[in-house]
Structures are given as C-alpha cells and as structure tokens.
Amino acid sequence: MRFARKRLAVFTLILTGLTLLPFGAAAAQGETQGGVFGDFEVSPGERVEIPVEIRGVTELYAVDLEIRFDPDIVQIEDANPNLDGVQPALGTFLDAGLTLFNNVDNDEGVIRFVMSQVNPSEPKSGEGVLLVLYVLGVDQGASDMAVTKLELSDRFGEAIPVEAMDGVISVSEGAAVSQ
C-alpha cells in the first residue's frame, strides 16, 4: 500500500512538472532584456561611458537596435575616428561579424546598430555589453536614452522576445565624475 502511494505521488509530481514545463520555458524567454540599464550623470563638457547591454538572452546571433536621445543635452563621441561618421564602440558580447549599421546622427539624436555574427561564431547566451556609448554632456538638463527599436534573433532568424530598457542621462554642474 505504501509503495502504491509513493508511486502515485511520484507520478503526480512528474505529470505536474511536465504540464508546467512549457509555461516555465515561456517565462524564461520573456526575461530577456536589452538597452540602457540605469541612469547616469555627467557635467557639461565631460564624458561618461554608457554600456548598452543584453541580459538573460539565449542563443543570440543578431541584433537590430535604435536608441534616441536629446542632441541639445548630450552628444555621442566617435569611438573609431578612422571611419567616416560617428560610431559607438562595439561591445564584447557578440563576435565581430556583418555590421549593416553602426552610426550616430548627433543632429537628430539617433543611434542605429544592426549586426549579425557569421559562421563559425556560436550563438551567445547570458548577459553582456553590445555597445559602449561615449556620451558628452552638452547642456544642463536630462535626456532619455530611449530604446525605440530592439529586435533580436537566433542563428536561424527566429525572433527572440525581448523587453527594451530605457535609461536617463542627467547633465548638471557638479555631477559626480564617472570612473
């Protein structure tokens, strides 16, 4: 009798686990976040480095990203003066690959980044830095660092659900010096 109850209890636990497994997988996928995490401060005329990060991703292979900012408050400095235009610095999370867009329009306040890894690169999972923005404080005030587009995909072009995270950069006299 005891054995039958134990067997029934184990069977019930296994069945419950198998029933809830798809819900757990869906919840885990919804945990992917990307963008600017947190708020930053800088003094006018000073520079702060702001990471654009990805967190909780599984099998990432390509990214399509757009961030908007107030160009009257902040400007993005060029990370690669050897290339025409203004580019953010590439992070270390993804392997260098095919970059379609990596530019900043400081007149309109738009950062555009579209990139895919290429074979033999393996998909990436976890968290890390996609880009680094070198942000110069121009005038006192606050600028949203608003992620207006963030699309992720795996090696096969399948979309990875992601929540975009926006930050704010405040420019004010006496702001703490960035390390």
Side-chain angles (χ1 to χ4, degrees), residues 66-134:
E66 181 180 273
I67 299 174
R68 292 192 173 264
F69 60 93
D70 185 340
D72 294 329
I73 305 295
V74 296
Q75 294 278 291
I76 309 300
E77 292 186 332
D78 193 9
N80 190 348
N82 294 325
L83 296 175
D84 290 336
V86 177
Q87 296 85 33
L90 296 178
T92 57
F93 188 67
L94 292 175
D95 297 336
L98 176 62
T99 303
L100 300 174
F101 292 97
N102 184 28
N103 55 45
V104 176
D105 183 337
N106 275 318
D107 294 328
E108 295 294 320
V110 179
I111 301 161
R112 188 81 165 103
F113 179 69
V114 179
M115 185 263 214
S116 175
Q117 297 185 129
V118 294
N119 278 331
S121 292
E122 292 296 320
K124 303 298 186 273
S125 297
E127 61 184 53
V129 176
L130 295 173
L131 296 173
V132 177
L133 308 176
Y134 301 128

Side-chain angles (χ1 to χ4, degrees), residues 12-29:
T12 303
L13 284 174
I14 291 172
L15 186 59
T16 302
L18 290 174
T19 303
L20 295 177
L21 185 62
F23 297 111
Q29 285 180 340

Side-chain angles (χ1 to χ4, degrees), residues 1-178:
M1 192 68 144
R2 274 188 178 165
F3 180 71
R5 273 192 229 159
K6 285 183 182 179
R7 192 169 69 180
L8 180 60
V10 169
F11 177 73
T12 303
L13 284 174
I14 291 172
L15 186 59
T16 302
L18 290 174
T19 303
L20 295 177
L21 185 62
F23 297 111
Q29 285 180 340
E31 294 176 8
T32 301
Q33 297 176 320
V36 179
F37 292 84
D39 299 333
F40 298 84
E41 257 188 4
V42 66
S43 294
E46 297 293 321
R47 181 177 91 168
V48 63
E49 294 181 11
I50 297 179
V52 178
E53 301 176 76
I54 194 76
R55 295 180 181 173
V57 73
T58 302
E59 302 290 311
L60 179 62
Y61 210 73
V63 62
D64 185 346
L65 170 72
E66 181 180 273
I67 299 174
R68 292 192 173 264
F69 60 93
D70 185 340
D72 294 329
I73 305 295
V74 296
Q75 294 278 291
I76 309 300
E77 292 186 332
D78 193 9
N80 190 348
N82 294 325
L83 296 175
D84 290 336
V86 177
Q87 296 85 33
L90 296 178
T92 57
F93 188 67
L94 292 175
D95 297 336
L98 176 62
T99 303
L100 300 174
F101 292 97
N102 184 28
N103 55 45
V104 176
D105 183 337
N106 275 318
D107 294 328
E108 295 294 320
V110 179
I111 301 161
R112 188 81 165 103
F113 179 69
V114 179
M115 185 263 214
S116 175
Q117 297 185 129
V118 294
N119 278 331
S121 292
E122 292 296 320
K124 303 298 186 273
S125 297
E127 61 184 53
V129 176
L130 295 173
L131 296 173
V132 177
L133 308 176
Y134 301 128
V135 181
L136 177 69
V138 175
D139 196 7
Q140 294 195 64
S143 172
D144 289 332
M145 299 300 284
V147 178
T148 54
K149 181 176 188 176
L150 180 56
E151 296 176 359
L152 308 177
S153 64
D154 65 14
R155 171 177 252 152
F156 306 104
E158 295 293 321
I160 299 171
V162 61
E163 177 186 3
M165 304 299 291
D166 301 334
V168 174
I169 182 159
S170 298
V171 180
S172 63
E173 291 293 337
V177 176
S178 173

